[in-house]
Amino acid sequence: MDAFFEVENVVREFRPPVTLGDKIAARLGAKVEMRSVKAVNDVSLTLEKGKTLGLVGESGCGKSTLGKVAAGILAPTAGTVLLDGKPVMTDGRKQTTRVQTVFQDPFASLDPRMKVGDAVAEGPIEHGLVTRADARAYVLDWFARVGLDPSYANRYPHQFSGGQRQRIAIARALAMQPDLLICDEPVASLDVSIQAQVINLFLDLRRDLDLTCLFISHDLSVVRHVSDRVAVMYLGRIVEEAPTEALFEAPAHPYTRALIASIPKLVLNRETLVEFDPIAGEIPSPLSPPPGCYFAPRCPLAADRCRETAPDLRTTENGRRVACYFPVSTRGAD
Amino acid sequence: MSASDTQSPLRLFWREFSENKFAVGSLVVVVLLAVVAFLAPLLVPQDPYNLELLSLLDARRPPGFVGSGGYVHVLGTDPQGRDLLSAIFYGLRISIIIGLAAGAIALVLGTIVGIFAAYAGGWIETVLMRVIDLQLSFPAILLALVLVALLGQGKGQLIAALVAAQYAYFARTAYGAAKAERRKDYVEAALATPLAGYKVAVRHLLPNCMPPLIVVATVQIANAISLEATLSFLGLGLPVTEPSLGMLISNGFPYMMSGRYWISVFPGIALIILIVAINVVGDQIRDQFNPRLRK
């Protein structure tokens, strides 16, 4: 089975740099503890062409790291990322321009000393998508497509608002004519009123360009709005992955249920007004995760078995995958 | 809309700079001194390097003396009978040329070393920066003295010695700035395009590392000028036939106590004005780049 975009058993570890003291201690025979964090722990995902996969999870669950590995910014410690069967990255170098990224913070992701038009033109000129002579018209065209006045191309990033900057960042990514767009919390740093505009722009462009997207966010309502499928991540692992409506209507993993239950709801009905359940407890330290299922310490359904060995991600009905010994029944979801 | 609504960082910078009248005044002084220095041959009555024009009969004359050349020595003459005003203007020229050349070469060299170290990482970074640290632990004047003694006299040798003594400051600054900028998203975004590492370093890293480097450059130009004056004062800088400000001060030094103050004092004042003015400009630039002092 050759999927359009495949993340296969990807692990990304971070370890603190080995200090000289540690090296000497190790040489002298002392036991030096090598603490490492598996920000992404054996994650496999596939994405069909033209579809959008939402990736959700709490802060620190590794979703941004997974996004960076998928985008070819970080090399995986183990596993592969394949686009059309070809690796996105080999030997620590990104091999393709067909994957592009929109970053979370448009105040940090644009070079403050480069005119925004030049920033959009830089990649396409470099990779021969457009000649230097035609670059100007090309950039102005992209400005128009993301809803910016083309005359703004001569300005610097500090002259724009957050929403405008994110439009520029989107133009920069799309000007590279990617097949896969990785959006890492693209609206998280924007005002709520601006979020909707940028999301709608994103939806329009996705339709017009037939883009495949990996959409990373902690905002469940945004993810539900844009995604065909949703994957839920907890402490570096995927705990559940399913078609969007099935996942939101009938979450199978206790963590997904807790996550969806924790969405604050504004309802004008007295009975449902207080429907807001924050998940009990905190994410365990990724430096020393619990031995079994990572969610067991916080899980209302946890049994002894959950605390000993972690459940595999198993495919259940309707293309749903869930990593739980006691998945909540999903019958009647359809 | 026209290009004029482009608020380039440079334009914004100048708008803020011009609010400090003292700094603007200092900048005017620096520019004026530079103009005077480079037009010296047209402005002064005597070529102080032409030994044939000098007469020992005119030596050590006070300001206002009319010498054998038939013109007034406005600031008096030195022990070789040179017109001091002419010698000071020519001396300023040497000081500014050496300061600018040493500063510019040290800036380029230090920036390359610093950004390369920050970008390369690993053992290259460790080795390069430890060498820089080692060098920074020596006083610049000591290093310059040793090098001038080894290389011999002359403008080129002097500039080489000053560059060797000063590039480490630029390397340190560039390294620190590049290390901080390297982690920012825009660098990651450029690398993810993907763009080759050296292109990202030149197009994105370098321009964003310039602000602190410009501050260090102004200070180091002033430092290079005073180092050159110090070396010349000690008799190690330039040959006696091409007196710089430091040597003029040195020449007048034995006569200070005999009332012939002008030989040392006037070149000294010229040197102080130049160095102070450059430092005031540098201070203002530094304040503008310091986010904690921003309004």
Side-chain angles (χ1 to χ4, degrees):
Chain A
M1 186 190 83
D2 248 9
F4 176 65
F5 183 67
E6 266 179 300
V7 173
E8 278 183 354
N9 304 103
V10 160
V11 176
R12 174 66 202 197
E13 262 182 284
F14 290 101
R15 50 179 79 234
V18 184
T19 62
L20 190 63
D22 288 345
K23 275 185 191 162
I24 294 170
R27 193 53 71 79
L28 294 175
K31 223 177 141 188
V32 179
E33 196 190 355
M34 280 301 189
R35 308 230 289 178
S36 72
V37 173
K38 280 187 179 163
V40 175
N41 193 349
D42 197 18
V43 167
S44 297
L45 291 170
T46 55
L47 205 56
E48 284 171 49
K49 185 149 179 58
K51 299 289 185 192
T52 295
L53 175 68
L55 185 63
V56 296
E58 287 170 272
S59 306
C61 72
K63 54 189 191 297
S64 280
T65 306
L66 179 58
K68 284 181 179 172
V69 172
I73 296 169
L74 285 175
T77 312
T80 48
V81 180
L82 302 171
L83 183 73
D84 263 347
K86 288 189 284 277
V88 168
M89 218 178 187
T90 50
D91 302 328
R93 272 175 200 282
K94 191 179 174 187
Q95 299 297 326
T96 178
T97 61
R98 293 172 61 197
V99 184
Q100 293 294 326
T101 312
V102 176
F103 291 83
Q104 172 172 1
D105 181 1
F107 289 86
S109 67
L110 295 170
D111 184 343
R113 290 184 187 274
M114 187 177 258
K115 288 178 186 173
V116 292
D118 296 342
V120 172
E122 186 183 22
I125 292 174
E126 190 65 33
H127 289 281
L129 298 175
V130 64
T131 62
R132 207 169 278 276
D134 299 334
R136 180 91 195 151
Y138 185 71
V139 167
L140 297 187
D141 179 45
W142 273 109
F143 266 63
R145 292 178 85 163
V146 298
L148 286 170
D149 190 325
S151 67
Y152 291 173
N154 279 330
R155 297 190 176 187
Y156 288 87
H158 71 91
Q159 294 175 275
F160 294 94
S161 68
Q164 288 173 317
R165 287 188 199 208
Q166 201 58 299
R167 286 171 192 267
I168 295 163
I170 291 171
R172 176 177 62 180
L174 293 181
M176 289 300 294
Q177 302 170 10
D179 295 311
L180 174 68
L181 190 67
I182 313 268
C183 300
D184 184 3
E185 303 257 15
V187 295
S189 58
L190 304 178
D191 287 350
V192 177
S193 56
I194 307 294
Q195 286 189 2
Q197 294 177 13
V198 173
I199 290 288
N200 287 335
L201 169 71
F202 169 75
L203 291 175
D204 290 346
L205 289 167
R206 186 183 66 178
R207 189 194 57 226
D208 296 347
L209 302 167
D210 192 26
L211 280 172
T212 309
C213 296
L214 178 62
F215 195 95
I216 302 167
S217 179
H218 64 267
D219 188 332
L220 294 172
S221 38
V222 169
V223 166
R224 185 176 192 169
H225 188 57
V226 303
S227 310
D228 298 302
R229 293 180 69 86
V230 176
V232 181
M233 210 169 168
Y234 186 75
L235 213 64
R237 290 175 177 165
I238 301 289
V239 295
E240 182 168 4
E241 198 235 324
T244 306
E245 279 318 301
L247 187 113
F248 279 93
E249 292 302 325
H253 196 283
Y255 177 65
T256 314
R257 275 165 55 94
L259 208 58
I260 291 170
S262 70
I263 305 173
K265 292 183 183 68
L266 256 179
V267 187
L268 294 173
N269 171 336
R270 270 177 195 279
E271 280 85 68
T272 51
L273 191 62
V274 286
E275 205 177 300
F276 171 54
D277 299 310
I279 306 173
E282 284 175 21
I283 299 189
S285 163
L287 281 167
S288 51
C293 171
Y294 289 172
F295 189 58
R298 299 168 81 182
C299 181
L301 303 175
D304 289 346
R305 192 181 169 197
C306 303
R307 299 189 187 91
E308 282 152 19
T309 42
D312 293 326
L313 194 60
R314 286 170 300 124
T315 305
T316 61
E317 88 295 356
N318 298 337
R320 180 193 294 261
R321 296 191 300 161
V322 58
C324 184
Y325 292 123
F326 309 108
V328 182
S329 172
T330 55
R331 263 170 302 176
D334 309 291
Chain B
M1 274 182 240
S2 66
S4 64
D5 64 10
T6 297
Q7 297 172 23
S8 78
L10 201 67
R11 197 171 301 194
L12 290 179
F13 189 85
W14 172 247
R15 194 184 301 163
E16 203 181 327
F17 188 93
S18 59
E19 282 170 20
N20 183 343
K21 299 300 172 215
F22 189 53
V24 174
S26 296
L27 186 63
V28 170
V29 168
V30 173
V31 171
L32 215 63
L33 285 176
V35 169
V36 161
F38 286 94
L39 297 181
L42 305 174
L43 297 176
V44 298
Q46 184 194 64
D47 176 2
Y49 298 165
N50 189 344
L51 299 176
E52 285 175 20
L53 295 177
L54 306 180
S55 161
L56 276 179
L57 290 173
D58 297 333
R60 298 191 293 277
R61 298 298 188 180
F65 176 80
V66 181
S68 52
Y71 47 84
V72 181
H73 295 292
V74 181
L75 298 179
T77 59
D78 82 345
Q80 277 82 44
R82 284 192 189 93
D83 175 47
L84 257 182
L85 185 74
S86 314
I88 287 171
F89 280 15
Y90 273 77
L92 274 175
R93 183 151 75 149
I94 294 178
S95 290
I96 291 173
I97 287 174
I98 287 182
L100 279 180
I105 297 171
L107 171 73
V108 172
L109 192 68
T111 305
I112 291 172
V113 171
I115 290 184
F116 179 70
Y119 193 84
W123 65 269
I124 299 175
E125 174 182 358
T126 311
V127 169
L128 277 177
M129 292 325 289
R130 286 303 87 77
V131 169
I132 299 287
D133 286 343
L134 189 73
Q135 204 192 314
L136 285 173
S137 65
F138 286 101
I141 180 76
L142 187 67
L143 204 67
L145 263 175
V146 171
L147 281 168
V148 166
L150 285 174
L151 296 171
Q153 289 188 323
K155 262 189 212 161
Q157 287 91 326
L158 194 58
I159 290 171
L162 292 174
V163 167
Q166 292 193 313
Y167 87 96
Y169 294 92
F170 290 99
R172 247 287 152 218
T173 310
Y175 170 77
K179 202 77 180 152
E181 294 297 323
R182 176 83 174 79
R183 278 193 282 269
K184 294 193 178 166
D185 273 356
Y186 70 86
V187 175
E188 204 158 74
L191 287 171
T193 304
L195 288 180
Y198 72 94
K199 285 181 182 160
V200 177
V202 171
R203 285 188 210 153
H204 297 282
L205 225 41
L206 182 63
N208 285 286
C209 292
M210 281 322 282
L213 284 169
I214 292 166
V215 175
V216 174
T218 48
V219 174
Q220 290 298 329
I221 287 171
N223 272 353
I225 290 170
S226 81
L227 262 180
E228 180 273 324
T230 311
L231 290 171
S232 296
F233 182 81
L234 296 172
L236 281 165
L238 296 170
V240 199
T241 47
E242 293 176 36
S244 71
L245 292 176
M247 193 181 297
L248 288 172
I249 296 170
S250 170
N251 286 346
F253 200 57
Y255 307 99
M256 278 293 276
M257 290 301 130
S258 61
R260 298 181 179 96
Y261 64 91
W262 60 88
I263 310 176
S264 282
V265 167
F266 289 131
I269 289 172
L271 190 63
I272 289 169
I273 291 173
L274 178 63
I275 290 174
V276 168
I278 294 176
N279 274 312
V280 169
V281 172
D283 269 3
Q284 172 63 21
I285 296 175
R286 192 195 57 209
D287 287 352
Q288 276 181 244
F289 284 138
N290 186 344
R292 266 178 290 179
L293 294 178
R294 288 202 87 95
K295 289 157 277 184

